[in-house]
């Protein structure tokens, strides 16, 4: 008798997601200006690409920033996301990405928007890789004051 594939339900790996949040928080703090305020912008040149971090909101416990690739002559749509830093928990989470104003922890699959079951995890993992790229190869376009 042939084996029939059983569809397992997706469960969020909270421990792994929190590790990604924590490392993203540390990476973002290394890229943001010290004592950042609303309106602060930091640009990084990495290879032939420009990445921009803009501080949109600063409260006692959180900071909201927009991160985007801002090349002069883009060949394809460039990634853009909003990230909230939670200073008390020391984590950073992608809140919005591209056309999605809110990213859920998990999605049913298949769905009409063609989102993956673990879309939130994938976006945050991508953010981590993007930040690592900026930290390793990026040069600040703004002089850093000490």
């Amino acid at each position: 008798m042939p084996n029939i594939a059983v569809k397992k339900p997706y469960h969020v790996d909270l421990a792994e997601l929190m590790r990604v949040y924590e490392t993203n928080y540390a990476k973002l703090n290394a890229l943001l200006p010290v004592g950042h305020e609303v309106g602060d912008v930091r640009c990084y040149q990495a290879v032939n690409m420009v990445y921009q971090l803009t501080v949109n909101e600063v409260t006692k416990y959180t900071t909201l920033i927009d991160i985007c690739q801002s090349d002069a002559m883009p060949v394809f749509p460039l990634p853009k996301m909003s990230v909230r830093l939670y200073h008390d928990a020391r984590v950073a989470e992608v809140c919005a990405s591209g056309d999605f104003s809110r990213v859920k922890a998990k999605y049913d699959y298949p769905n009409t928007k063609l989102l993956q079951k673990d879309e939130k995890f994938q976006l945050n993992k991508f953010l981590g890789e993007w930040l690592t790229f900026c930290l390793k190869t990026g040069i600040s376009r703004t002089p850093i004051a000490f």
Side-chain angles (χ1 to χ4, degrees):
M1 180 160 182
N3 290 339
I4 298 174
V6 177
K7 195 176 193 181
K8 292 182 182 179
Y10 170 72
H11 295 286
V12 176
D13 183 349
L14 188 58
E16 179 64 23
L17 187 59
M18 290 306 291
R19 274 190 290 279
V20 171
Y21 286 171
E22 289 169 353
T23 57
N24 286 350
Y25 181 85
K27 291 172 187 175
L28 276 168
N29 275 310
L31 292 169
L32 286 171
V34 176
H36 52 268
E37 298 175 353
V38 173
D40 283 351
V41 175
R42 184 65 57 144
C43 293
Y44 292 92
Q45 177 82 36
V47 188
N48 59 349
M49 296 167 276
V50 178
Y51 297 96
Q52 180 174 309
L53 286 76
T54 306
V55 178
N56 287 333
E57 175 185 289
V58 176
T59 66
K60 186 175 180 179
Y61 298 108
T62 66
T63 299
L64 181 66
I65 62 170
D66 280 341
I67 303 173
C68 65
Q69 186 176 336
S70 56
D71 295 344
M73 298 179 62
V75 178
F76 50 85
L78 301 174
K80 180 180 180 180
M81 54 183 66
S82 292
V83 180
R84 184 166 304 276
L85 287 83
Y86 298 92
H87 303 298
D88 53 347
R90 302 183 61 80
V91 296
E93 171 188 29
V94 174
C95 300
S97 178
D99 296 334
F100 304 105
S101 60
R102 182 175 174 268
V103 183
K104 296 180 186 176
K106 69 179 190 175
Y107 290 90
D108 292 329
Y109 190 81
N111 56 62
T112 57
K113 294 184 179 178
L114 302 175
L115 299 171
Q116 296 297 314
K117 293 177 188 180
D118 62 344
E119 192 76 21
K120 184 178 214 79
F121 178 79
Q122 288 189 34
L123 282 171
N124 283 282
K125 189 75 172 169
F126 172 72
L127 172 64
E129 292 169 1
W130 197 9
L131 295 172
T132 298
F133 177 67
C134 284
L135 286 166
K136 285 185 177 180
T137 62
I139 299 170
S140 176
R141 295 180 124 197
T142 307
I144 298 173
F146 293 100

